[in-house]
Amino acid sequence: MTGGRGADRAADRAAVEAANTAFYAAMEEGDFDRLEDLWLDDGGTEISCVHPGWPVLTGRGEVLRSYALIMAHTDYIQFFLTDVRTSIGGDTALVTCTENILSGGPAEDGAELGPLVGQLVVATNTFRRTPEGWRIWSHHASPVIAGPDDDTPPAATADDAGPAA
């Protein structure tokens, strides 16, 4: 017996990774229609998104509105993805990665582009298989505040300690 299951897994992995790449490409290109098409829309499953520093957004309206706002207020954005890992279980896939983001806002004093800012963010993108292909079910991104050699968790504060004994 040749091919079969292993070939299916490889094809699924390639399709999920292509969908993940398309998500970031749509953001870079400011292609809202393409971005909207990449999100799950099965009429019953609620999608969710957490942008760095934002509360949880749920439902197509809230999630897509957030991307429209980001695109409207970002003149330039580029993602350099590193540490990409893909895991697939049945009709669900998880992609974790580090987003090395370079972005620029509105130009000042007649310049072509505003100041560029770099940001390091870790993200988890959850996909679901649909008849149209893999679609994003959830995106969760958090800023990286620890250095690469810092393996010590942040110090607990009094608020984190819980009730006194």
Side-chain angles (χ1 to χ4, degrees):
M1 180 187 241
T2 59
R5 204 172 188 104
D8 291 345
R9 282 191 208 134
D12 281 346
R13 179 175 298 281
V16 168
E17 290 173 356
N20 194 65
T21 298
F23 170 63
Y24 290 101
M27 283 290 295
E28 288 179 351
E29 296 162 11
D31 187 343
F32 182 79
D33 292 335
R34 175 71 178 129
L35 184 108
E36 180 180 28
D37 187 51
L38 291 165
W39 281 87
L40 183 64
D41 188 13
D42 66 4
T45 305
E46 192 167 64
I47 63 173
S48 67
C49 179
V50 177
H51 297 293
W54 291 36
V56 177
L57 304 173
T58 55
R60 278 187 76 75
E62 279 190 24
V63 170
L64 295 175
R65 181 177 182 275
S66 74
Y67 282 99
L69 288 170
I70 290 168
M71 289 178 171
H73 293 94
T74 305
D75 288 347
Y76 175 84
I77 192 163
Q78 189 171 9
F79 296 88
F80 301 94
L81 302 182
T82 57
D83 308 316
V84 179
R85 288 184 167 58
T86 304
S87 177
I88 302 171
D91 291 335
T92 303
L94 211 63
V95 177
T96 59
C97 61
T98 301
E99 302 173 354
N100 301 270
I101 306 170
L102 186 60
S103 63
E108 300 169 359
D109 300 326
E112 212 172 292
L113 183 64
L116 294 177
V117 177
Q119 185 178 15
L120 194 61
V121 172
V122 291
T124 301
N125 298 318
T126 306
F127 293 84
R128 180 180 281 172
R129 185 194 322 261
T130 72
E132 296 80 31
W134 292 91
R135 296 294 184 259
I136 304 166
W137 183 1
S138 181
H139 170 76
H140 187 129
S142 298
V144 175
I145 55 174
D149 297 327
D150 186 3
D151 60 358
T152 306
T157 64
D159 293 337
D160 297 332

